[in-house]
Amino acid sequence: MKKTIAAAALLLSSLLLGACNHNQETDTASVDDPALSIMTTFYPMYEFTKEVVGDAAEVSLLIPAGTEPHDFEPSAKDMAKMMEADAFVYNSPELETWVSSLTDSIDTKQTTIIEAAQAIDLVESEEGHAHEADHDHDEEADHVHELDPHVWTDPVLAIQEVETIRDQLSAAYPEQKDQFAENAAAYIKKLSALDDAYRAAFKDASQRTFVTQHAAFGYLARQYDLVEASISGISPDQEPTPSRLAELKEYVETNQVRVIYFEENASSKVAETLASETGVELAVLNPLESLTQEQIDNGETYISVMEDNLSALQKSIK
């Protein structure tokens, strides 16, 4: 026991001494290495931020590649990383529901907290309310999102998120304002071209309905005057009721839906069942809630995945 106490005391002394040395090293390093440290939650926030800051900051991803962000909960180690960062970028409290409980713990004088969707009015989730009613306010329904957080799947709203990240980082670090503005302008040009491609593709479409695995493309549908019907609600792990599946089967047949879209990073069992029962094609539509490490290593980006999504949607929207 005495050895254990002594060892603990020695460890504590080492940590305290290390903290002092770390502060000295940080002060020294700040002269030689001006790069900021920015923590982002999930992939779109990572790419949007990285495109804005360029080489002016080191951008890291909190939620591991291939991990579903709806159910993610940060560990104590994750919390420590957030507190050490110069800035922390997330989408909205409606997706990263745990953020509201952490902001009181983070020193905002040291870490700039940026809500990328702050300037966007989130819409109510009809699917979420329906699911909640079906479960009669049971435990699972308590986790249903009342608002739809998937704004990044709309290129126009993605531009707004990039602008918010740019503006808030510029306010916090004005000495790099011009670099942030230049980088953001170049990336927004690409997002605007993506928006143009979507508008051109669906401008004269007569069939404007598509069926997805979960309700992640509502904002995209509104932007381009399309209609999304989803198997499950805002969260991909919500299981549809038998009555919902029966409704969708009738919906697919009535509206002559050609394709049912599933997600590579989530279970596609229900989508496969519905496609089999209705005799329609299956295709991938990526909600960009996460990219796998393999996708990242292969150079896939928000832009490239959204271009793939456009090609996939054109199988339905004619």
Side-chain angles (χ1 to χ4, degrees):
M1 177 63 76
K2 289 181 179 179
K3 290 182 179 180
T4 303
I5 294 173
L10 180 61
L11 177 60
L12 179 59
S13 298
S14 299
L15 288 173
L16 291 172
L17 181 60
C20 294
N21 290 337
H22 175 73
N23 288 337
Q24 293 173 357
E25 291 170 2
T26 300
D27 292 340
T28 304
S30 63
V31 176
D32 302 324
D33 183 10
L36 301 169
S37 170
I38 303 178
M39 174 72 72
T40 62
T41 50
F42 68 114
Y43 186 79
M45 300 303 101
Y46 170 81
E47 180 169 322
F48 296 169
T49 303
K50 197 169 179 62
E51 290 289 340
V52 169
V53 302
D55 59 6
E58 296 179 359
V59 183
S60 58
L61 192 60
L62 174 64
I63 301 176
T67 301
E68 166 55 51
H70 285 275
D71 302 322
F72 177 81
E73 291 289 342
S75 65
K77 187 176 180 180
D78 293 329
M79 269 291 296
K81 291 179 181 178
M82 281 182 260
M83 291 178 179
E84 291 171 0
D86 293 302
F88 171 63
V89 181
Y90 72 106
N91 182 69
S92 69
E94 192 59 32
L95 180 71
E96 299 97 328
T97 55
W98 42 269
V99 167
S100 58
S101 65
L102 300 182
T103 50
D104 291 339
S105 304
I106 298 177
D107 182 358
T108 54
K109 293 181 180 179
Q110 176 179 318
T111 304
T112 301
I113 300 176
I114 299 174
E115 179 187 341
Q118 185 177 31
I120 301 171
D121 292 328
L122 302 186
V123 301
E124 284 191 88
S125 163
E126 294 181 5
E127 294 86 353
H129 289 307
H131 180 79
E132 186 173 357
D134 286 339
H135 285 268
D136 194 24
H137 302 280
D138 64 10
E139 183 178 352
E140 184 179 354
D142 289 339
H143 298 283
V144 172
H145 298 275
E146 292 185 1
L147 300 175
D148 183 354
H150 297 91
V151 293
W152 64 88
T153 61
D154 173 356
V156 175
L157 297 184
I159 290 173
Q160 289 190 39
E161 293 204 290
V162 170
E163 291 172 339
T164 294
I165 294 168
R166 175 201 64 196
D167 293 347
Q168 294 196 28
L169 283 175
S170 296
Y173 306 102
E175 65 278 7
Q176 283 145 321
K177 179 178 180 180
D178 291 344
Q179 182 176 356
F180 294 160
E182 182 179 351
N183 292 341
Y187 188 57
I188 288 171
K189 186 175 181 180
K190 295 178 182 179
L191 292 174
S192 295
L194 182 66
D195 171 44
D196 290 341
Y198 269 79
R199 291 189 189 282
F202 303 136
K203 180 181 177 182
D204 299 319
S206 56
Q207 164 61 283
R208 311 187 76 86
T209 299
F210 63 104
V211 176
T212 59
Q213 185 163 321
H214 90 283
F217 298 91
Y219 293 98
L220 181 146
R222 291 180 193 85
Q223 189 67 244
Y224 304 111
D225 192 25
L226 307 177
V227 179
E228 177 197 37
S230 62
I231 296 172
S232 40
I234 295 300
S235 295
D237 59 355
Q238 291 175 3
E239 288 291 334
T241 62
S243 60
R244 176 60 178 162
L245 284 176
E247 288 173 4
L248 278 170
K249 182 178 179 181
E250 182 178 354
Y251 184 90
V252 166
E253 294 170 347
T254 301
N255 292 276
Q256 299 181 331
V257 171
R258 299 180 178 91
V259 183
I260 292 173
Y261 296 99
F262 70 99
E263 300 162 24
E264 289 181 312
N265 297 337
S267 173
S268 59
K269 182 178 179 180
V270 178
E272 291 171 355
T273 298
L274 184 60
S276 176
E277 290 182 355
T278 54
V280 302
E281 180 184 350
L282 272 174
V284 173
L285 201 61
N286 192 331
L288 279 150
E289 292 175 349
S290 174
L291 292 187
T292 65
Q293 191 58 53
E294 182 180 1
Q295 288 174 309
I296 294 172
D297 292 342
N298 288 339
E300 294 188 43
T301 65
Y302 173 87
I303 300 287
S304 70
V305 172
M306 286 295 290
E307 288 173 342
D308 290 343
N309 282 347
L310 175 57
S311 296
L313 279 170
Q314 286 179 294
K315 295 180 179 181
S316 287
I317 312 300
K318 300 287 187 178

